[in-house]
Amino acid sequence: MTLSSLALSVAATTTSTTLKKQSSRNSKFSTLALFFVATTASSAARAFSSSSTPTFAPRHHHQRLLLSTSSRSSGDSPLNNSVIYNTRGGSLTSFVGKKLSLSRRFSSTQIEQEVVSEMDQVKEAASKTSAAEKLALMRQKMEENGVDVYLIPSDDPHLSEYVPAAYMRRGFLTDFHGSAGTALVTKDDAYLWTDSRYFNEATLRLDADHWTLMKQGQPKVPTIPKFLADLATTHYTANSKPLKVGMDAYVHAASFAKELNEAFEGAAKDMEGDVPTTIAAIDTLDGKQNLVDSIWEGRPDLPKNPFRVHPMKYAGMTVQDKVAKIQSEMTEKKATMTVFSALDDIAYLFNVRCMGDVETCPIGIAYATISKDEVAIYCDPEKVAPADVSEHMKEAGVTIKPYGDIVSDIESHLSAGKKNKVWLDNGRSNYALSRVIPEAALIDAQNPVTAMKGCKNEAEMEGMRQAHIVDGAAMAHFMAWLENAIVVEGRTVSEVEVDEVLTGFRAKQPGFKEVSFPTIAGVGANGAIVHYRAAEGSDLLKYLDRTQPILIDSGGQYEYGTTDVTRTWHFAENPDEEFRELYTRVLKGNIGVDSMIFPENTPGFVLDVFARKALWEIGKDYGHGTGHGVGAALNVHEGPHSISPRWGNKEVLKAGMVTSNEPGFYDDGNFGIRIENLLEILEVSNSDEATNGEEPAAKKQKVAAEGKKFLKFGKLTLIPIQKNLIKVEIMTEDELDWLDSYHQEVLQKVKPLLEEGSPAMEWLVKSCEPIKRD
């Protein structure tokens, strides 16, 4: 026995003893806790062994597992000393017997740490004070600052989908914690706008005595600019003075401020009589504290977690080459400076990642600018303090500047030359940045990183493929465990335990960093809440048994790629016929998109109908989009493309893009169904036979390209689809062939990662058997 093995043995024995003592007091805790001990010991044993290598390493490199004993900033350990490295909800006894609130973020020195989810902190703060009390305080602050209305969006200064806890102002004020929504408070009323993903959740979370839910996109529900324009008209008619709309310039998109001003001007023109050119005005309350911050006691501090270098073997392109490409495009547009505000753009540009600033997203808080003579990153100095990060930036010729200097530097650049122009995407940049740029000096267009990041290079795509292979192995282990717990042991499993155990299996895979978004594990009616999030102690928390289905939407952030998958499972001996039909029609929609061959320059919305066709045939539909882009070891939601029934996004699909394919159906109060795979977009050459995925040769279809490029999808997600929920009689032969072919591909790629005779292997082989055809 080596010294490291001896140390591990002692640690495992001590841990097991501690957990057994706890389990005697709490039997519900026992199974999960001891499971984590076993898996942690197994993972750590591989990590400690100097001669061991992971079961799998990406094909383009060979990675040795090392258990880091340094601080979190090193980011060296793919396991980060815990199989429950990133999860949420619930409570567990730590390895030294302290009570531990689980989060998605565990440092590599977490053994004696208490880690509390930042989201849970915000939820706790939000629930401590009633809606009436918070709104009374808000209105007091509004009166003190002379504004009639105050807007509270979900955003941070970088307009991120998921934000650091310090910027969860809308969540704190409303107690609704979905990722999308804007609150609007007047002297007498309070409103929340959110989209269809969150209608159910918002209805449950909002205090209906004080908040009105505005169901965005529904008939007779005005947009915020239209609502405020109408309110301004009423206000001016009654008071003969403009409506003052308060907002924080740093957390609203520049495009939104422009839209708001245009709505006010349009409303003024529609009024009769002697009316000024505008009947409302935006007041950004410069120099004053954000009004929510002024009433939020104990607001979390802004994070300062360090960057880590994203290796070239995964990035595929140097920072210098990216900068050169951007500078070339700047010359074409006659831009002398380009400003980058979106955090994933900055992580991509500088080949860095970060953990802890934004839950589940490997990005760090920063701005960036590129001019002819300088490349600069604006961030807290602690973020570039690690020696390797500092050296990486130095080698790339990047200047480090204080985070707060971004606005003054834009102004200085403009004042340095009358012909200087700034390229800034108003739709992805905050109003505080945009308003200092005169219209004549502004180039408002999609920034060059967006397109570069959207189309993955071969190294990035290879990393994505490998991430999905290891993710498939993790899911095989998890499903073998879940099926055994429900069907064989006959016990119930809480939604929180589902989340924790699934994350535990992912964390055992090489290169795992954190989950890619908060896991959605919804039993029964909770599956119909599109972005549901389970938590211990919640009135909504449900337990899975054989009588109800469960929808699990989850993913992992690996060092080399990002995953996102949804499956709906049901362990009933004889599932309800209506459920099976709906499940099958959702599957038909997934296959319909997956098997499409389409010409270049096709925008995503053109394909959306194929996802819905089978549901439309019986008068059913779903309220969310069908597909979103996914980053390469970056954000799980990424533009610029999408597949959606809404025609607003006309970005065309291109080779190298990654998209989700996730049709669904939701019966409010009963169940939800969603089947999601990630797909890569591939070119079909003029002389090639398009295979519609991996169908047998007899099913191949010739593509008459006639000089025009055609595109198809390649499968990334490698997780079986539950066959006994499928009504074979409403599937076509081609669809059944697709299913068998998909399962053969899953088996071929995932099987080598599993141990022969293991429960995971047995589950995978059984799940990938050809479907029985009537």
Side-chain angles (χ1 to χ4, degrees):
M1 180 180 289
T2 64
L3 181 61
S4 58
S5 298
L6 177 61
L8 174 62
S9 176
V10 172
T13 302
T14 304
T15 302
S16 179
T17 301
T18 301
L19 292 175
K20 284 177 180 176
K21 289 178 180 178
Q22 171 67 18
S23 68
S24 67
R25 295 190 297 269
N26 185 349
S27 58
K28 179 182 172 183
F29 170 87
S30 177
T31 302
L32 177 60
L34 293 177
F35 162 77
F36 279 132
V37 172
T39 50
T40 301
S42 173
S43 301
R46 294 205 316 266
F48 267 110
S49 174
S50 60
S51 61
S52 68
T53 55
T55 306
F56 161 81
R59 289 198 298 266
H60 51 280
H61 81 293
H62 186 72
Q63 181 183 21
R64 188 180 298 274
L65 291 180
L66 298 172
L67 185 62
S68 173
T69 56
S70 61
S71 67
R72 182 177 60 205
S73 62
S74 68
D76 292 329
S77 169
L79 297 179
N80 286 270
N81 218 11
S82 175
V83 298
I84 48 173
Y85 171 91
N86 271 321
T87 186
R88 61 170 172 70
S91 64
L92 188 65
T93 296
S94 76
F95 297 133
V96 292
K98 295 180 181 178
K99 190 169 182 180
L100 175 69
S101 270
L102 296 178
S103 80
R104 297 170 199 75
R105 194 162 49 78
F106 277 68
S107 77
S108 58
T109 56
Q110 104 3 276
I111 291 180
E112 295 187 89
Q113 270 187 309
E114 273 194 33
V115 182
V116 180
S117 166
E118 292 178 333
M119 172 71 84
D120 291 341
Q121 289 183 41
V122 177
K123 286 184 176 181
E124 184 179 353
S127 62
K128 277 184 177 179
T129 311
S130 70
E133 292 171 305
K134 282 183 285 190
L135 287 171
L137 290 170
M138 275 297 295
R139 289 174 178 131
Q140 180 182 331
K141 294 297 180 182
M142 289 165 58
E143 186 175 359
E144 290 172 4
N145 287 276
V147 294
D148 303 301
V149 177
Y150 197 73
L151 287 164
I152 308 97
S154 305
D155 299 300
D156 62 10
H158 307 275
L159 309 184
S160 307
E161 178 183 16
Y162 299 107
V163 302
Y167 292 113
M168 294 178 183
R169 294 168 173 135
R170 190 223 60 224
F172 166 76
L173 186 65
T174 66
D175 207 13
F176 160 68
H177 303 281
S179 65
T182 299
L184 186 156
V185 180
T186 71
K187 292 180 178 179
D188 301 309
D189 299 295
Y191 305 86
L192 174 80
W193 273 258
T194 192
D195 62 53
S196 61
R197 294 173 298 167
Y198 295 110
F199 290 168
N200 282 353
E201 183 178 346
T203 300
L204 293 167
R205 299 296 307 179
L206 293 176
D207 184 337
D209 292 335
H210 299 280
W211 287 96
T212 298
L213 174 60
M214 306 295 279
K215 294 184 176 181
Q216 198 171 302
Q218 297 299 295
K220 299 182 180 180
V221 176
T223 63
I224 293 175
K226 170 63 174 170
F227 178 88
L228 285 174
D230 291 345
L231 185 62
T233 300
T234 303
H235 183 271
Y236 190 86
T237 301
N239 302 287
S240 299
K241 60 181 182 180
L243 181 77
K244 293 189 72 174
V245 178
M247 64 184 238
D248 184 338
Y250 282 90
V251 294
H252 287 273
S255 56
F256 174 76
K258 180 181 179 182
E259 188 180 355
L260 207 52
N261 281 323
E262 289 173 350
F264 293 154
E265 290 170 8
K269 289 177 182 177
D270 291 340
M271 291 184 70
E272 298 179 355
D274 187 17
V275 179
T277 55
T278 182
I279 55 174
I282 293 173
D283 188 344
T284 53
L285 302 175
D286 295 339
K288 298 179 180 178
Q289 191 178 25
N290 182 290
L291 297 195
V292 176
D293 296 352
S294 67
I295 69 167
W296 187 353
E297 291 185 12
R299 176 178 171 245
D301 295 329
L302 288 177
K304 301 177 182 179
N305 298 285
F307 287 118
R308 67 175 186 270
V309 178
H310 190 54
M312 262 297 294
K313 59 190 172 186
Y314 306 136
M317 189 175 185
T318 66
V319 176
Q320 294 91 325
D321 286 345
K322 291 177 182 180
V323 169
K325 181 174 173 60
I326 291 165
Q327 288 174 328
S328 175
E329 293 188 39
M330 289 171 63
T331 300
E332 292 178 11
K333 284 193 173 287
K334 298 181 179 179
T336 56
M337 173 184 273
T338 300
V339 178
F340 301 95
S341 178
L343 301 183
D344 58 333
D345 287 353
I346 294 157
Y348 171 86
L349 172 61
F350 294 122
N351 287 344
V352 292
R353 300 294 188 266
C354 180
M355 192 166 68
D357 275 17
V358 182
E359 256 187 326
T360 78
C361 301
I363 52 181
I365 297 175
Y367 293 103
T369 59
I370 295 178
S371 61
K372 179 182 178 182
D373 304 314
E374 184 182 62
V375 179
I377 184 170
Y378 297 78
C379 63
D380 190 281
E382 291 185 31
K383 303 193 74 58
V384 291
D388 60 334
V389 176
S390 178
E391 183 62 26
H392 170 74
M393 292 294 187
K394 183 179 179 181
E395 288 177 359
V398 179
T399 302
I400 313 298
K401 294 191 171 185
Y403 180 75
D405 286 1
I406 181 67
V407 173
S408 60
D409 276 12
I410 295 171
E411 292 175 315
S412 296
H413 179 80
L414 289 169
S415 63
K418 292 183 179 179
K419 293 185 178 181
N420 284 354
K421 290 190 174 183
V422 175
W423 185 353
L424 178 139
D425 184 346
N426 268 343
R428 303 187 74 217
S429 304
N430 67 55
Y431 183 43
L433 299 182
S434 177
R435 65 180 176 176
V436 302
I437 308 170
E439 188 173 348
L442 174 66
I443 300 171
D444 178 14
Q446 183 184 96
N447 79 54
V449 161
T450 301
M452 292 166 63
K453 176 166 53 67
C455 294
K456 279 61 179 171
N457 60 48
E458 183 53 34
E460 291 175 314
M461 193 64 81
E462 180 65 10
M464 291 292 281
R465 295 176 191 129
Q466 305 309 334
H468 283 83
I469 293 173
V470 300
D471 213 56
M475 187 63 79
H477 283 290
F478 166 73
M479 283 306 302
W481 170 85
L482 184 62
E483 187 173 281
N484 181 74
I486 301 299
V487 177
V488 179
E489 296 179 7
R491 71 183 184 91
T492 61
V493 177
S494 78
E495 295 162 331
V496 168
E497 187 179 1
V498 165
D499 180 3
E500 291 168 349
V501 175
L502 174 53
T503 302
F505 281 118
R506 277 200 170 101
K508 293 178 67 179
Q509 303 306 314
F512 179 83
K513 293 294 182 182
E514 57 186 328
V515 296
S516 57
F517 57 96
T519 297
I520 299 165
V523 172
N526 289 343
I529 304 174
V530 178
H531 277 210
Y532 172 69
R533 188 174 184 178
E536 289 285 10
S538 167
D539 292 339
L540 294 176
L541 183 66
K542 290 183 180 296
Y543 289 77
L544 178 65
D545 57 22
R546 301 194 71 173
T547 68
Q548 299 182 87
I550 183 170
L551 184 154
I552 305 174
D553 188 349
S554 65
Q557 290 286 5
Y558 298 89
E559 188 179 10
Y560 38 86
T562 303
T563 69
D564 177 7
V565 58
T566 308
R567 290 291 184 267
T568 304
W569 309 98
H570 201 333
F571 298 107
E573 290 186 28
N574 296 297
D576 179 78
E577 285 300 302
E578 181 186 10
F579 181 89
R580 290 182 65 226
E581 170 148 354
L582 291 165
Y583 181 93
T584 306
R585 290 183 180 276
V586 169
L587 174 59
K588 286 167 72 71
N590 183 287
I591 297 171
V593 172
D594 182 287
S595 56
M596 276 301 300
I597 295 170
F598 52 95
E600 62 181 339
N601 299 319
T602 299
F605 68 78
V606 173
L607 304 188
D608 185 77
V609 63
F610 295 96
R612 299 173 193 270
K613 178 177 179 293
L615 286 168
W616 285 356
E617 288 171 352
I618 58 170
K620 305 293 185 182
D621 201 357
Y622 54 95
H624 56 75
T626 298
H628 59 80
V630 179
L634 264 176
N635 288 358
V636 74
H637 290 163
E638 178 182 274
H641 55 290
S642 67
I643 300 175
S644 169
R646 299 168 184 84
W647 296 356
N649 186 353
K650 295 181 173 60
E651 187 75 30
V652 300
L653 301 177
K654 301 173 184 174
M657 287 179 168
V658 172
T659 182
S660 68
N661 173 20
E662 48 185 309
F665 177 76
Y666 310 93
D667 185 355
D668 289 352
N670 290 310
F671 59 81
I673 300 168
R674 188 160 64 251
I675 300 172
E676 175 188 17
N677 283 356
L678 295 194
L679 307 170
E680 61 174 303
I681 301 179
L682 304 166
E683 284 189 5
V684 178
S685 70
N686 294 357
S687 59
D688 286 348
E689 289 183 322
T691 62
N692 285 341
E694 300 263 345
E695 291 181 2
K699 297 292 183 182
K700 290 181 180 179
Q701 174 186 1
K702 290 280 190 179
V703 175
E706 298 178 354
K708 192 173 189 177
K709 285 185 180 179
F710 276 72
L711 302 174
K712 64 178 181 178
F713 292 113
K715 300 170 184 64
L716 288 174
T717 302
L718 297 168
I719 295 168
I721 293 164
Q722 189 172 345
K723 298 191 296 293
N724 71 333
L725 296 181
I726 299 170
K727 292 191 76 171
V728 174
E729 59 268 30
I730 63 173
M731 295 277 282
T732 67
E733 283 298 311
D734 282 348
E735 289 168 342
L736 293 172
D737 288 346
W738 179 97
L739 185 68
D740 285 344
S741 175
Y742 176 62
H743 281 155
Q744 282 307 301
E745 183 178 356
V746 172
L747 186 63
Q748 175 190 352
K749 292 181 177 179
V750 177
K751 185 178 179 181
L753 276 65
L754 304 178
E755 184 179 347
E756 198 67 42
S758 66
M761 177 70 85
E762 291 176 0
W763 179 86
L764 183 73
V765 170
K766 178 186 66 176
S767 299
C768 292
E769 290 173 351
I771 190 167
K772 293 179 181 178
R773 309 189 186 201
D774 295 339

